[in-house]
Amino acid sequence: MFGYVVRRLLAAIPIALGVSMVCFALVYLAPGDPVQTLLPPDADAETVERLKRLYGLDRPLPIQYLEWLWRVMQGDFGKSIATGRPVLDEILRSLGNTVLLATLSVLIAFSVAFILGTIAGRRTGTWLDRIVTGIAVLGVSIPNYWLGIVLVIIFSVELMVLPASGMAGDTFDPTSWEHIQHVVLPVFTLSMIPVGIIARTTRSAVAEVMNQEFVVTLRANGLPEWRVLRHALKNALPPVLAVMGLQFGTLMGGSILVETVFSWPGSGFMLSKAILNRDVPVLQGTILVLAMIFVTVNLTVDLFQSSLDPRIRRG
Amino acid sequence: MTKRFSLLGSTLVLLATFAAPSVNAQTETVLRVAMTAGDIPLTAGIPDQGFEGWRFVGYNLYDALVSWDLSRSDVIADIKPGLASSWAIDPANNRRWLFTLRRDVKFHDGSPLTAADIVWNFERFTKEGAPQFNARQFAFARAYLGNFEGIEKVDDFTVAITTKQPDSLLPYNMSFLMMVSPRRSEEVKNDADAFARNPSGTGPYRFSRMIPGERLELVRNADYWDKARIPKHDRLVLLPMPEASTRTASLLSGQVDWIEAPAPDAIPRLRSSRMQIVTNSYPHNWAYQLNFVDGPFADIRVRRAANHALNRADFNEMLGGIAMEGFANLPPSSNWFGNPVRYEFNQAKARALLREAGCMPCRVTFAISTSGSGQMQPLPMNELVKSQLEAVGFQVNLQVMDWNALLQMGREGREKHTDVHGINISRSLQDPFNGMFRFSWSQQASPRGSNWGHYSSPSMDALIDKALATFDEAQRLPLLRQVHEKMSEDAVMLWVVHDLNPRALSPRLRGFVQAQSWFQDLTPITVAPR
């Protein structure tokens, strides 16, 4: 097991390198320029060149990339071109805010979806199954930025019970009622997609397991239905966990729209600004960290799966 | 009975305990502003995030030698004395400006402002190798220091600034250069990032606290040198909120008191909730700079045809009344407006001009952006331009890109983009140089300056040279009007609209005067209790 973990971690290194290289190249392939954001629209070409020199952006791209890599290996992510603030501080702060949203959303989504999926999976073809499937399709289909705006209109503008934007402080304080209020709408909005996806996965996994011979055997042995279900769910869980891990990874980097709608200072919001500003150090640093998180989450899920189901233990 | 009283007593004590903080909170009046920027503007001197940065952070934390008079809404804002109480051109040298400083100005750290501090700040912008030199400040200042040659201290309260060429408009440029405290900067070893976390200027507000990406809080500077502009509220909270619907919802839900640029379709809803919608003309231009070398716009008839093809009232209608028809480069309230040609909507005339020019169908390509500072609603507006131009015989190809890429194209100029015949970059026009000269002076041809399409006219150049060398305002005024009239006559751009700068304010706010400017004075605003 230890060897397997080490091998998986080592395999993450080329992934991280590849991701950072592709990201670096893409920024420079797109028209536009990192120093653009620092200059007024009418700055002359001479100023642009001088500024590029001052920021070291006039050197060949491979050298810039290698220098960046060397510094990152020493733990120095550099400074944002647009804000001048250290990239690591920016990443840690925004990532912390996004982890909060993603974790709460996935936990809520998993709890709700697993129950719904189990009910539907046990009663395939019934009206209950159709309702759950309907909810799942709705969850996946509703654009979450639209849902966010609608929720804001209902709960912030009309009912005035929840705030429309921001997070009320530097870091989340679970004892603060104000902070909790700020979290409700973004978390609910974000959890809608995973609810749909996890519910559908659970439904098909449970339905499949319930038709297997061991379930018939368990029932034939006279086990009460709740114990049969416990065995069945244990067998249905691995694919659901895999999907949940992927959903968590997606929410970590993919909540740009929801974070923008709620002015939530998370990594998605930061990434979108960095892309528009061509802020290479922030882009590079954030994507590298996100890639590593994705790899780690997948590894954790794999390990969890194999502990649940020894048949899929690898290595 | 005793039990009941003790219960009542403890309830009252409890109520008093909970009520106490709210009484304290009520004593502080707070103005909360939602900006369109995606981040908090830089607090270390000259801000970033375009003129919104100057509006909310620059002019509130800092002052420049020259300031803007934002106290009136009926005329276009012009400059007034700032840290310098007066200025004059050296009678012996028309390239040397003398600025006399106020004697009663103190930085927020308590240190007094003297001529040495002004020189120190200019070295921060310009002198590579000086300990306080800062690349970002250099970049921001550079646009206003193109003609700057040097600065010297004449005495403790006078500085002399020399220019490369005679420049009667230099005081306008000085209004953009924020003066920071050298003492505070030296305390943090001239580290601009550390300075930004605890800045010290001379402005009407002091820094209180900042959560990067989330909020900036400033508090009233009770010792501000301009007593008339000491803020009438205690605290100013600035929140970046790039999404228009989020800003609107935040205002309606009482989370903020002031929002910039509400979406046009949200304005009726805001009005019905008793929000104050304020608009005013200001020096902004939504237009296309044209290519004078490659393609059909080199022919003046085609440029005039395009200007006659637009029914500008339609744009105003589409934008819910938050724009003003733009028949010329400057809005009519400008002092330098003069009496320019008016390009009325006339499709027959436009068609005739195109036929005369032999350009039918007249194929043109415009580079446009999906969003950007001052770009209003670029996609639907460009679609409308396209359909109106095509109705008279143009065939328009819209090349869509993001704001950063369009800015780069704007900077590189027509030489690198010969297949593009116009670029749609909104511009600020707050002074004669930025409002007219940079688009029509051959010296400003790109990539050196903002004359993107290389418009060139010897008579225009002569007018500009003369205006720059005329230091008497009364004598300069007719020259500036002539420049504007000639821009119109030569149809230097395809003009569409001027923005009316909408913002929505809570009914609790009183005393705001919307100046005809990119900048606004927040200090007279009072905030009524809820």
Side-chain angles (χ1 to χ4, degrees):
Chain A
M1 179 61 104
F2 179 72
Y4 171 64
V5 174
V6 171
R7 266 202 308 283
R8 283 289 300 266
L9 285 176
L10 285 177
I13 294 172
I15 294 175
L17 273 177
V19 165
S20 70
M21 227 184 279
V22 168
C23 165
F24 192 78
L26 280 179
V27 172
Y28 281 98
L29 275 177
D33 199 312
V35 297
Q36 215 77 257
T37 154
L38 294 178
L39 292 161
D42 37 9
D44 57 22
E46 186 201 328
T47 311
V48 176
E49 290 314 311
R50 208 164 143 199
L51 200 69
K52 277 188 178 172
R53 185 167 50 73
L54 286 166
Y55 274 86
L57 295 166
D58 57 337
R59 285 162 306 161
L61 291 185
I63 291 179
Q64 284 187 44
Y65 177 74
L66 289 174
E67 273 188 4
W68 172 81
L69 202 60
W70 177 242
R71 277 191 283 110
V72 167
M73 281 159 65
Q74 294 163 318
D76 174 12
F77 282 70
K79 280 185 177 177
S80 155
I81 295 176
T83 67
R85 295 191 288 259
V87 171
L88 197 60
D89 291 1
E90 300 265 285
I91 295 176
L92 291 177
R93 185 172 38 244
S94 62
L95 217 54
N97 297 337
T98 296
V99 167
L100 174 75
L101 286 193
T103 311
L104 289 175
S105 304
V106 166
L107 284 179
I108 290 173
F110 180 76
S111 318
V112 174
F114 196 71
I115 295 170
L116 288 179
T118 309
I119 295 170
R122 282 199 63 210
R123 305 198 189 288
T124 44
T126 62
W127 60 271
L128 212 59
D129 177 30
R130 281 193 205 104
I131 290 176
V132 171
T133 313
I135 293 173
V137 171
L138 211 65
V140 178
S141 319
I142 289 179
N144 53 11
Y145 60 90
W146 175 85
L147 179 67
I149 292 172
V150 169
L151 290 175
V152 163
I153 292 172
I154 297 172
F155 292 98
S156 307
V157 176
E158 299 300 336
L159 301 175
M160 291 181 117
V161 287
L162 290 168
S165 62
M167 64 174 285
D170 200 356
T171 47
F172 180 70
D173 173 6
T175 61
S176 157
W177 176 234
E178 194 192 356
H179 286 206
I180 293 171
Q181 280 182 313
H182 276 82
V183 152
V184 176
L185 290 184
V187 164
F188 184 78
T189 309
L190 268 185
S191 60
M192 276 314 275
I193 288 185
V195 162
I197 295 173
I198 298 173
R200 281 201 310 193
T201 314
T202 312
R203 179 194 172 275
S204 53
V206 170
E208 192 191 328
V209 171
M210 291 306 274
N211 285 329
Q212 281 181 8
E213 284 171 359
F214 81 89
V215 175
V216 180
T217 315
L218 288 174
R219 281 190 179 135
N221 280 338
L223 241 63
E225 192 58 24
W226 66 270
R227 287 191 61 188
V228 175
L229 190 63
R230 213 184 69 184
H231 284 282
L233 285 186
K234 200 177 164 191
N235 281 277
L237 207 51
V240 179
L241 278 181
V243 169
M244 188 179 107
L246 283 175
Q247 283 301 304
F248 182 78
T250 310
L251 287 184
M252 284 300 299
S255 48
I256 290 178
L257 293 172
V258 172
E259 287 183 359
T260 307
V261 165
F262 290 101
S263 278
W264 185 266
S267 59
F269 194 29
M270 186 175 78
L271 262 182
S272 70
K273 280 187 287 182
I275 292 167
L276 291 175
N277 290 334
R278 313 284 193 271
D279 196 341
V280 189
V282 173
L283 266 179
Q284 289 282 89
T286 315
I287 286 178
L288 184 68
V289 173
L290 283 177
M292 293 323 294
I293 289 179
F294 211 90
V295 169
T296 317
V297 168
N298 281 345
L299 177 60
T300 315
V301 170
D302 282 358
L303 294 176
F304 208 54
Q305 274 181 315
S306 52
S307 72
L308 276 173
D309 184 353
R311 283 173 304 172
I312 46 175
R313 186 164 295 162
R314 282 160 255 185
Chain B
M1 193 71 170
T2 325
K3 201 174 172 185
R4 197 179 292 167
F5 269 118
S6 75
L7 191 68
L8 186 69
S10 48
T11 313
L12 284 175
V13 170
L14 257 177
L15 274 176
T17 321
F18 283 118
S22 68
V23 169
N24 283 339
Q26 273 175 15
T27 56
E28 189 181 56
T29 51
V30 184
L31 171 59
R32 299 157 304 170
V33 174
M35 306 180 287
T36 65
D39 206 337
I40 293 163
L42 187 67
T43 52
I46 306 178
D48 58 351
Q49 309 286 350
F51 276 170
E52 191 170 40
W54 260 279
R55 186 183 312 140
F56 290 119
V57 176
Y59 289 123
N60 285 335
L61 272 178
Y62 299 100
D63 288 299
L65 284 176
V66 175
S67 186
W68 288 90
D69 184 356
L70 306 170
S71 61
R72 291 175 61 179
S73 59
D74 56 338
V75 286
I76 278 212
D78 208 345
I79 49 173
K80 68 169 188 178
L83 293 176
S85 55
S86 65
W87 51 85
I89 193 75
D90 184 342
N93 180 357
N94 72 355
R95 293 192 301 111
R96 187 168 189 262
W97 276 95
L98 295 162
F99 287 84
T100 308
L101 304 184
R102 291 179 193 280
R103 288 167 185 265
D104 54 349
V105 178
K106 279 199 165 65
F107 287 103
H108 299 153
D109 54 38
S111 61
L113 172 98
T114 66
D117 300 327
I118 303 294
V119 174
W120 182 95
N121 268 284
F122 270 79
E123 288 177 349
R124 187 171 183 251
F125 303 137
T126 57
K127 194 172 170 185
E128 250 179 274
Q132 72 270 34
F133 177 77
N134 180 268
R136 284 165 69 76
Q137 292 294 302
F138 153 79
F140 296 146
R142 175 73 183 178
Y144 307 102
L145 291 172
N147 200 9
F148 170 84
E149 191 173 73
I151 185 167
E152 59 176 323
K153 172 182 155 183
V154 177
D155 60 43
D156 275 353
F157 292 98
T158 313
V159 289
I161 294 174
T162 27
T163 58
K164 291 172 194 158
Q165 293 171 20
D167 187 352
S168 66
L169 303 175
L170 182 85
Y172 283 100
N173 288 341
M174 294 302 106
S175 72
F176 296 100
L177 306 176
M178 305 300 157
M179 299 295 144
V180 306
S181 164
R183 258 71 59 195
R184 177 62 54 80
S185 178
E186 279 152 13
E187 267 171 36
V188 292
K189 299 189 172 55
N190 292 314
D191 175 348
D193 300 323
F195 184 90
R197 289 193 290 273
N198 187 20
S200 171
T202 58
Y205 295 86
R206 293 165 189 266
F207 176 85
S208 168
R209 71 178 191 129
M210 173 165 59
I211 302 174
E214 221 258 319
R215 62 172 59 212
L216 171 66
E217 297 192 10
L218 309 177
V219 289
R220 167 203 282 138
N221 174 12
D223 302 323
Y224 189 48
W225 55 267
D226 185 352
K227 301 301 173 203
R229 288 193 60 233
I230 293 177
K232 292 193 167 60
H233 45 269
D234 302 306
R235 186 174 287 269
L236 172 64
V237 179
L238 301 169
L239 303 154
M241 240 178 248
E243 174 58 37
S245 59
T246 311
R247 289 196 297 278
T248 304
S250 299
L251 179 65
L252 288 170
S253 63
Q255 247 186 298
V256 299
D257 311 301
W258 165 309
I259 61 168
E260 291 290 280
D265 53 1
I267 288 178
R269 173 74 177 85
L270 288 164
R271 278 213 174 96
S272 72
S273 301
R274 296 194 308 120
M275 298 298 160
Q276 313 171 52
I277 307 293
V278 290
T279 57
N280 203 348
S281 160
Y282 74 117
H284 167 277
N285 195 3
W286 198 96
Y288 299 81
Q289 278 186 270
L290 304 174
N291 190 334
F292 285 78
V293 183
D294 326 284
F297 288 124
D299 187 327
I300 188 168
R301 291 168 296 193
V302 178
R303 302 200 295 274
R304 285 180 175 162
N307 271 294
H308 278 299
L310 297 187
N311 185 5
R312 295 166 174 90
D314 287 350
F315 290 85
N316 199 10
E317 196 187 324
M318 185 178 85
L319 294 165
I322 60 156
M324 186 171 70
E325 294 159 61
F327 291 100
N329 199 51
L330 298 169
S333 55
S334 167
N335 221 357
W336 321 299
F337 189 72
N339 186 22
V341 182
R342 190 175 163 96
Y343 290 100
E344 296 286 4
F345 174 49
N346 188 337
Q347 288 182 316
K349 193 169 180 182
R351 266 188 222 106
L353 279 164
L354 281 189
R355 241 178 263 120
E356 200 185 313
C359 194
M360 192 70 97
C362 208
R363 289 190 181 85
V364 291
T365 297
F366 290 141
I368 67 166
S369 70
T370 50
S371 63
S373 169
Q375 294 288 81
M376 304 179 75
Q377 303 208 355
L379 294 179
M381 288 170 77
N382 272 291
E383 285 297 337
L384 188 52
V385 168
K386 177 179 158 80
S387 72
Q388 295 194 350
L389 290 181
E390 290 188 342
V392 302
F394 281 95
Q395 206 170 317
V396 182
N397 170 32
L398 296 176
Q399 218 178 83
V400 189
M401 56 197 78
D402 80 346
W403 181 228
N404 190 300
L406 185 67
L407 285 179
Q408 180 166 0
M409 183 183 277
R411 190 164 291 146
E412 285 169 348
R414 55 142 286 274
E415 277 167 321
K416 282 198 175 174
H417 303 281
T418 51
D419 54 336
V420 176
H421 308 117
I423 53 165
N424 174 222
I425 299 183
S426 303
R427 303 284 192 172
S428 57
L429 319 164
Q430 68 282 353
D431 59 78
F433 178 86
N434 284 295
M436 302 184 289
F437 298 179
R438 61 174 169 159
F439 311 122
S440 51
W441 195 13
S442 58
Q443 279 199 27
Q444 284 290 309
S446 58
R448 186 157 185 253
S450 303
N451 182 353
W452 179 82
H454 292 198
Y455 165 79
S456 171
S457 151
S459 58
M460 182 67 103
D461 287 350
L463 265 175
I464 292 172
D465 288 337
K466 200 170 166 194
L468 284 172
T470 304
F471 291 86
D472 182 280
E473 262 185 62
Q475 287 178 17
R476 192 172 61 224
L477 189 60
L479 296 170
L480 297 176
R481 288 179 176 160
Q482 283 175 48
V483 171
H484 188 238
E485 287 160 4
K486 184 156 176 58
M487 280 183 83
S488 278
E489 191 191 329
D490 289 353
V492 170
M493 296 187 195
L494 171 56
W495 293 291
V496 186
V497 290
H498 304 294
D499 185 18
L500 284 182
N501 209 3
R503 38 179 64 101
L505 278 57
S506 149
R508 296 166 59 223
L509 304 191
R510 287 280 174 270
F512 174 57
V513 176
Q514 174 137 308
Q516 294 192 25
S517 171
W518 285 75
F519 318 119
Q520 298 297 334
D521 186 2
L522 274 60
T523 61
I525 295 172
T526 57
V527 186
R530 281 168 209 270

